[in-house]
């Protein structure tokens, strides 16, 4: 007998253009990001971060040098409920890229850095990378000398980037769900009469550039999440809907 455990509804909003402006809003498929949020993000982590720069990279401008890529991050937010249930708003056509270097030009790295020409270093249209049409909000963090391999500095970079994304998320929470471009419902059920199937996913948890947070407050966020390193890299059970809703933030 099937029993419903939870329901997750994901409402998708398409973005055709992104601009840096004086306020954050979404209107007519255009995302405007208040560029002053960068100062707010930096002020919270001045012990490790010297400066943060932000720019918009469109598909025709990807033949540029970028510092070591720390992550590509989708932009989603909870409107109702917690990660794995309720309602989530998500944006398509745009993602965030976090890069980092220290003030002496040493790239953020643990076993190897990934700086270089963006077009040549990223395979697009694969899990974890942007599509070939996505607009990229590029957050570039400059750490103080020697901080590029320090775990707290790397985590601070992710948290600072999360503050910038939260500025967008707060705007997304106010979007009228009825105006979404696509809606998907995911019902989590169990059937006591059938076998239970578990899918095992191995994630990284071994240092500054290889950390994974689970169950953050926001889908694919950092704040509120728990590091698998801090939990001793022990197995964690997640529901299919938690996985779909961004319960795992792979920070590498």
């Amino acid at each position: 007998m099937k029993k419903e455990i939870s329901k997750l509804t994901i409402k998708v909003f398409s973005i055709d253009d992104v601009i840096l402006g004086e306020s954050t809003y979404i209107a007519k498929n255009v995302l405007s990001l208040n560029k002053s949020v960068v100062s707010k993000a930096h002020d919270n982590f001045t012990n490790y971060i010297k400066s943060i720069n932000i720019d918009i990279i469109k598909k025709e401008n990807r033949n540029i040098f970028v510092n070591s890529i720390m992550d590509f991050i989708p932009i989603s937010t909870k409107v109702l409920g917690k990660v794995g249930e309720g309602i989530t708003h998500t944006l398509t056509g745009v993602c965030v890229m976090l890069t980092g270097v220290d003030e002496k030009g040493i790239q953020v790295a643990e076993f190897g850095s990934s700086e270089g020409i963006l077009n040549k270093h990223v395979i697009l249209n694969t899990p974890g990378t942007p599509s070939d049409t996505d607009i990229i909000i590029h957050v570039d963090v400059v750490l103080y000398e020697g901080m590029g391999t320090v775990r707290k500095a790397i985590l601070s970079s992710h948290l600072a980037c999360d503050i910038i994304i939260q500025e967008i998320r707060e705007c997304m929470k106010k979007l009228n769900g009825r105006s979404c471009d696509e809606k998907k419902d995911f019902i989590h059920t169990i059937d006591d009469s059938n076998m239970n199937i578990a899918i095992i996913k191995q994630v990284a948890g071994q240092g500054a550039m290889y950390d994974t947070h689970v169950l953050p407050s926001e889908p694919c966020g950092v704040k509120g999440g728990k590091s698998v390193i801090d939990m001793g890299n022990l197995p964690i059970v997640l529901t299919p809907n938690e996985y779909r809703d961004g319960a795992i933030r792979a920070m590498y």
Side-chain angles (χ1 to χ4, degrees):
M1 179 177 179
K2 287 187 177 180
K3 179 181 178 182
E4 182 176 323
I5 301 300
S6 65
K7 177 182 178 181
L8 169 66
T9 298
I10 298 179
K11 299 184 178 182
V12 181
F13 297 83
S14 300
I15 295 296
D16 296 331
D17 197 10
V18 180
I19 59 176
L20 295 177
E22 304 301 323
S23 61
T24 300
Y25 63 86
I26 296 174
K28 297 180 179 179
N29 301 100
V30 176
L31 166 62
S32 171
L33 175 59
N34 186 347
K35 54 190 177 186
S36 68
V37 70
V38 172
S39 297
K40 177 184 174 183
H42 177 235
D43 290 347
N44 282 270
F45 303 101
T46 53
N47 287 344
Y48 302 105
I49 299 175
K50 182 177 182 180
S51 64
I52 302 175
N53 304 300
I54 187 169
D55 62 293
I56 307 301
I57 303 175
K58 299 185 179 180
K59 62 179 182 179
E60 64 272 20
N61 297 324
R62 292 196 183 120
N63 195 34
I64 59 171
F65 176 88
V66 296
N67 288 315
S68 191
I69 298 171
M70 302 165 71
D71 210 351
F72 286 104
I73 308 147
I75 306 173
S76 300
T77 191
K78 294 307 299 183
V79 177
L80 180 66
K82 60 183 181 180
V83 169
E85 61 182 42
I87 299 174
T88 295
H89 285 180
T90 190
L91 300 183
T92 58
V94 59
C95 72
V96 174
M97 176 176 70
L98 175 63
T99 61
V101 68
D102 82 0
E103 61 181 326
K104 295 297 183 181
I106 305 300
Q107 296 293 326
V108 169
E110 186 149 337
F111 302 120
S113 57
S114 57
E115 77 279 9
I117 303 301
L118 180 59
N119 261 343
K120 298 181 179 179
H121 279 257
V122 177
I123 300 175
L124 302 173
N125 302 313
T126 60
T129 66
S131 77
D132 55 4
T133 58
D134 276 354
I135 299 168
I136 298 172
I137 300 174
H138 178 203
V139 178
D140 187 49
V141 174
V142 179
L143 300 171
Y144 287 111
E145 182 179 1
M147 291 292 106
T149 57
V150 175
R151 187 183 174 209
K152 288 184 178 180
I154 302 301
L155 178 58
S156 295
S157 301
H158 283 280
L159 286 167
C161 185
D162 204 43
I163 289 175
I164 295 172
I165 298 174
Q166 192 65 33
E167 172 83 6
I168 302 172
R169 294 186 185 118
E170 294 301 325
C171 177
M172 293 166 61
K173 293 178 189 295
K174 301 173 185 174
L175 293 174
N176 186 339
R178 295 179 179 175
S179 64
C180 68
D181 297 294
E182 188 178 0
K183 176 184 172 183
K184 297 180 180 178
D185 291 323
F186 300 96
I187 310 296
H188 177 203
T189 61
I190 59 172
D191 188 344
D192 292 335
S193 62
N194 285 323
M195 295 171 56
N196 292 316
I197 299 174
I199 298 174
I200 299 174
K201 179 179 176 63
Q202 187 175 29
V203 300
Q206 61 185 72
M209 286 281 287
Y210 288 88
D211 197 358
T212 301
H213 279 210
V214 295
L215 293 171
S217 302
E218 296 278 12
C220 304
V222 181
K223 186 178 179 182
K226 293 181 175 59
S227 163
V228 295
I229 297 175
D230 295 338
M231 292 188 288
N233 287 314
L234 293 173
I236 299 164
V237 177
L238 298 175
T239 69
N241 277 346
E242 286 173 333
Y243 181 79
R244 289 189 184 99
D245 206 20
I248 300 176
R249 170 66 186 275
M251 301 158 70
Y252 40 88

